[in-house]
Amino acid sequence: MCRLSAITSSEYISPMENILALETMKEGHDGSGMGLILKDLGGEFEELKDYPILSGICSKDGLHALDSYMDGLGFQLKYTWTPKIKPVKGIERRDYYFARVYEYPDEYREKDTEEKESLLLSTRIALRRMGEADESIIVFSFYPDIITLKEVGDPLQLGEFFGLDNSTLKARIILAQGRQNTNYAINLYACHPFFIQGYGSMTNGENTAFVPIREFLMSRGFPGYMGYNSDSEVFTHILHYTCRRLGYPMTYYKDVITPLKASEIETRPDSEAVNFLRISLRPLCIDGPNCVIGFTPDGTCFMVQDSKKLRPGVVGGVKGKYALMSEECGLDKAIPDRERSNDIFPMKYDMVVVSPGAEEVKVWNQLQGWTTTMS
């Protein structure tokens, strides 16, 4: 199993808050790696929210190739952030970790959002393919107001390694995963969280329906549905496909991955739409134990469980700051001063939704609709 730590706040927070929460849940991960996604950035990035940020790792040769490729496309480097590396025993340092802010090419500056996003996606995929064979270029995301940081090692040690305890790097939404390696070889592209065009997610679990889901997504003709070094990356892509490509509200994501029985659908006021999804998107139904935490482009955060509720998960906090965690001890570390009796433990029909800005928490139930509210 892995352990998940997500915090959404009205104020900027440090990723060390997530990492310290992961440390309390250490029995659930083996220290084989950590991934971070920061959204709605503060610090030096607060004034750069409209510019795309390329996050990744390069070798020295890879950096030259990356610069040449980006120059050829017309991207102009505007700002570079690199972590202040501190040597830590057991963590192998790579040449160059970066979050690079770019100006769009001249011909794209007046284009609409969809055209810009297509450019960013195709650029990220091209860079990934350029460096994939020898790991000279590893890119995790290329999108405005998003930074992704991943490496092999224990989360707390990686926080020290990257100097995050003394860093100005902050954000209002941060997702962190402590890995329990289930692959024979550790590949950073298999490290959660995953991100695509404004949507991000991470998962604790095992997706035994991975192959048919992967084949369905790859047959959609969308270039971003690729990679799949982890069986959990499909959760992010299903979210993107449901909400972005098909245009359904976020709650239907739950109906897609854990569809109701036909007899249960009959009780829904939108039964016709739900039944249509159940039939047409049946290949996207997940199997196995899973807890999924994610966010959408507007900053809404959520947690959902598999249809048997076989992985732990809890949501709690106070207005202006909520945490979505694998375990209560992680929540206690992140937000100790809260009303614990209000903590939410989503069950198999539930989707816990935290509104943008951490204003309130609601629970949407597949059978009952919107139920619990915490604000």
Side-chain angles (χ1 to χ4, degrees):
M1 293 195 296
C2 304
R3 284 298 179 263
L4 312 177
S5 169
I7 302 175
T8 173
S9 172
S10 60
E11 303 292 332
Y12 293 114
I13 60 172
S14 166
M16 284 305 301
E17 294 192 29
N18 299 72
I19 292 171
L20 291 172
L22 284 177
E23 178 66 13
T24 69
M25 301 184 282
K26 195 168 184 177
E27 290 186 4
H29 62 86
D30 64 3
S32 65
M34 179 183 70
L36 289 168
I37 285 185
L38 289 77
K39 174 179 171 61
D40 195 354
L41 303 169
E44 56 264 61
F45 291 95
E46 189 171 4
E47 303 302 320
L48 299 169
K49 291 182 180 291
D50 294 331
Y51 300 95
I53 304 171
L54 182 67
S55 299
I57 306 170
C58 279
S59 67
K60 293 176 182 177
D61 289 340
L63 180 59
H64 293 309
L66 185 151
D67 282 337
S68 177
Y69 186 78
M70 297 299 282
D71 288 345
L73 290 179
F75 283 101
Q76 298 176 26
L77 186 61
K78 186 176 181 67
Y79 178 77
T80 299
W81 176 87
T82 56
K84 296 180 180 178
I85 300 298
K86 177 182 178 181
V88 173
K89 184 178 180 181
I91 297 178
E92 184 177 347
R93 176 175 180 167
R94 304 178 199 240
D95 289 344
Y96 185 58
Y97 302 88
F98 62 85
R100 308 179 106 203
V101 184
Y102 286 92
E103 292 263 14
Y104 286 101
D106 290 341
E107 63 270 26
Y108 275 87
R109 292 184 186 179
E110 302 303 321
K111 300 279 189 181
D112 60 28
T113 299
E114 186 173 346
E115 289 180 287
K116 287 179 177 177
E117 286 186 326
S118 294
L119 172 67
L120 299 180
L121 179 65
S122 64
T123 303
R124 175 177 64 81
I125 293 172
L127 289 170
R128 171 174 174 155
R129 288 175 173 156
M130 283 170 57
E132 204 156 17
D134 58 1
E135 295 190 338
S136 59
I137 301 174
I138 303 173
V139 289
F140 303 122
S141 59
F142 189 25
Y143 202 80
D145 210 21
I146 292 285
I147 288 178
T148 309
L149 191 61
K150 301 181 181 184
E151 187 49 286
V152 176
D154 176 79
L156 192 60
Q157 290 182 326
L158 286 171
E160 182 182 4
F161 174 75
F162 287 125
L164 297 178
D165 50 344
N166 295 309
S167 175
T168 58
L169 189 62
K170 298 182 186 300
R172 290 193 175 105
I173 296 173
I174 302 177
L175 271 59
Q177 187 228 29
R179 293 197 69 221
Q180 177 76 31
N181 185 40
T182 53
N183 300 321
Y184 292 104
I186 297 175
N187 184 316
L188 287 183
Y189 283 124
C191 184
H192 312 212
F194 302 105
F195 178 84
I196 184 168
Q197 291 189 329
Y199 297 86
S201 78
M202 56 186 180
T203 304
N204 171 25
E206 179 183 0
N207 182 12
T208 55
F210 167 62
V211 172
I213 294 174
R214 179 189 64 188
E215 297 307 310
F216 180 90
L217 289 168
M218 292 181 70
S219 71
R220 299 304 92 188
F222 182 72
Y225 300 154
M226 51 82 70
Y228 300 124
N229 297 88
S230 165
D231 61 6
S232 296
E233 190 167 10
V234 297
F235 288 98
T236 313
H237 292 180
I238 296 171
L239 177 65
H240 176 272
Y241 182 67
T242 302
C243 299
R244 171 69 181 269
R245 304 288 293 172
L246 299 182
Y248 283 100
M250 187 183 67
T251 51
Y252 283 99
Y253 175 64
K254 175 65 174 166
D255 285 319
V256 169
I257 62 174
T258 58
L260 296 172
K261 299 175 183 176
S263 59
E264 294 172 323
I265 291 175
E266 291 176 359
T267 67
R268 291 271 294 266
D270 55 350
S271 58
E272 185 176 351
V274 178
N275 194 53
F276 175 76
L277 290 175
R278 176 176 175 267
I279 296 170
S280 62
L281 299 183
R282 185 67 183 179
L284 299 181
C285 172
I286 66 172
D287 190 20
N290 289 284
C291 173
V292 184
I293 297 173
F295 61 76
T296 59
D298 69 352
T300 298
C301 296
F302 68 87
M303 176 186 286
V304 294
Q305 301 281 350
D306 65 86
S307 60
K308 297 181 180 66
K309 171 65 178 178
L310 294 175
R311 283 291 185 267
V314 59
V315 180
V318 296
K319 185 174 182 178
K321 189 175 186 180
Y322 291 101
L324 304 86
M325 297 281 170
S326 288
E327 299 181 25
E328 278 185 274
C329 58
L331 181 53
D332 288 340
K333 183 65 177 179
I335 310 177
D337 298 324
R338 69 185 194 283
E339 180 53 61
R340 286 172 172 77
S341 63
N342 290 333
D343 291 350
I344 299 170
F345 299 85
M347 300 305 287
K348 66 176 186 176
Y349 292 117
D350 296 332
M351 170 179 266
V352 183
V353 178
V354 186
S355 64
E359 283 294 309
E360 66 176 4
V361 180
K362 291 184 177 182
V363 178
W364 182 81
N365 182 281
Q366 287 179 282
L367 299 179
Q368 301 170 8
W370 294 103
T371 57
T372 309
T373 300
M374 176 170 53
S375 60

